[in-house]
Amino acid sequence: MDSQLESRQRRRFMVQAAGATALIAPGITLMTIAQADQDQPEGASSSKRWGMLVDTNKCTDGCSDCVSACQQENGWGEGSTDESQSNPQQKAQWIRTVTIRDKQTGHTDQLPMMCQHCENPACVDVCPTGASMKRADGIVLVDKHICIGCRYCMMACPYKARSFVHEPLHDQKSNSPRGKGTVEACTMCVHRVDRGDQPACVEKCSSGAMMFGDLNDPNSDISKKLAEVDSTQIRADLGLNPGIRYSGI
Ligand code: SF4
Ligand code: SF4
């Protein structure tokens, strides 16, 4: 995987370098290129670890704000594919609401379930091509260009967080490219995060149940909240150390 990544980075660098040489003209163009570089988002840094905290006490029964927000932002769900041939288990589902029940008290909680952006992701371990990858800042993604659709990652993920695109796609969003025959999942809205915005589900949650931030920064709002409240990771026993934390359960 490392050699593939290095090779792609080298190719990208060579393309950019070739483009810059062709464009350079005395004076003005050099300044334009320098300005363009300043406008580029910073690369992912291991000094950060992006995560979320969901207060399940604020999740109300039947609410699906987060699911609608994700569909709208990333272009999956009804209308994005010809799913007439797909059974419900085959449809794309980047985020879903699940209900959990305490066996002793019978108390139920509804919570959103999406890719947990694990520190030790099983999906990455089993991927034969390196398409499943974890960025330095903890966001786990699928590179659609090298995903061969073997679906090993879907079998390995204990959270059932990934979907496979069976049908032809239409009405795609330019910020979240998808591909028939490839696997997909929550991207933590990486395109928004890289420009300094919150993930769509967090922004559109009408009850304020979802918080996003840097788990590595002790002064971030999410870290302060995590220090205040009891929180848990779903299936913490598996040792994957998810970046999505839940309180109230
Ligand atoms: S939740 Fe599943 S798909 Fe997401 S990082 Fe963890 S193992 Fe991978
Ligand atoms: S972070 Fe973005 S991609 Fe992930 S569930 Fe929320 S809206 Fe969907």
Side-chain angles (χ1 to χ4, degrees):
M1 172 180 148
D2 286 342
S3 64
Q4 283 175 338
L5 267 176
E6 278 170 20
S7 154
R8 280 205 307 282
Q9 282 165 349
R10 259 199 313 276
R11 275 202 306 275
R12 200 173 301 135
F13 173 78
M14 287 167 72
V15 168
Q16 285 167 348
T21 308
L23 285 170
I24 288 172
I28 297 167
T29 314
L30 277 171
M31 287 175 64
T32 308
I33 290 168
Q35 182 61 46
D37 280 349
Q38 283 170 16
D39 293 342
Q40 294 300 311
E42 284 177 24
S45 161
S46 59
S47 66
K48 293 190 187 306
R49 182 169 184 214
W50 297 120
M52 285 190 204
L53 173 62
V54 181
D55 181 351
T56 62
N57 289 324
K58 292 183 178 170
C59 282
T60 47
D61 282 353
C63 174
S64 58
D65 285 353
C66 52
V67 178
S68 311
C70 185
Q71 287 179 330
Q72 203 168 355
E73 179 71 25
N74 297 299
W76 60 272
E78 207 169 324
S80 67
T81 62
D82 176 11
E83 288 181 330
S84 55
Q85 304 300 314
S86 302
N87 68 41
Q89 285 74 37
Q90 288 180 325
K91 295 184 195 295
Q93 204 163 46
W94 292 27
I95 180 171
R96 64 193 193 277
T97 56
V98 298
T99 303
I100 56 169
R101 184 170 172 276
D102 187 311
K103 279 185 191 157
Q104 285 173 343
T105 64
H107 176 76
T108 58
D109 283 299
Q110 177 182 296
L111 52 88
M113 176 62 63
M114 63 293 230
C115 173
Q116 302 288 291
H117 298 279
C118 307
E119 181 184 9
N120 309 307
C123 55
V124 173
D125 288 345
V126 300
C127 178
T129 69
S132 281
M133 58 177 174
K134 186 180 68 156
R135 296 201 334 173
D137 56 11
I139 297 181
V140 177
L141 298 171
V142 179
D143 183 340
K144 307 292 172 6
H145 297 286
I146 50 177
C147 174
I148 55 172
C150 68
R151 288 166 267 182
Y152 287 174
C153 59
M154 289 176 66
M155 287 183 267
C157 173
Y159 302 98
K160 297 190 188 323
R162 293 191 160 192
S163 324
F164 180 77
V165 182
H166 291 266
E167 310 285 358
L169 294 159
H170 40 81
D171 299 329
Q172 291 201 52
K173 303 279 184 184
S174 58
N175 53 32
S176 297
R178 305 172 66 201
K180 184 186 174 195
T182 66
V183 171
E184 58 185 18
C186 159
T187 62
M188 211 179 258
C189 283
V190 65
H191 58 287
R192 293 172 61 93
V193 171
D194 281 350
R195 65 175 190 237
D197 290 335
Q198 303 263 315
C201 55
V202 176
E203 188 178 277
K204 296 281 170 56
C205 174
S206 57
S207 60
M210 300 175 80
M211 182 180 268
F212 167 81
D214 182 5
L215 300 173
N216 280 353
D217 176 4
N219 294 314
S220 66
D221 289 347
I222 192 171
S223 293
K224 287 181 188 164
K225 196 72 182 173
L226 280 165
E228 255 174 47
V229 299
D230 284 336
S231 65
T232 190
Q233 301 170 329
I234 306 286
R235 293 301 313 267
D237 56 309
L238 297 174
L240 305 186
N241 191 16
I244 312 297
R245 314 286 164 82
Y246 296 86
S247 64
I249 53 175

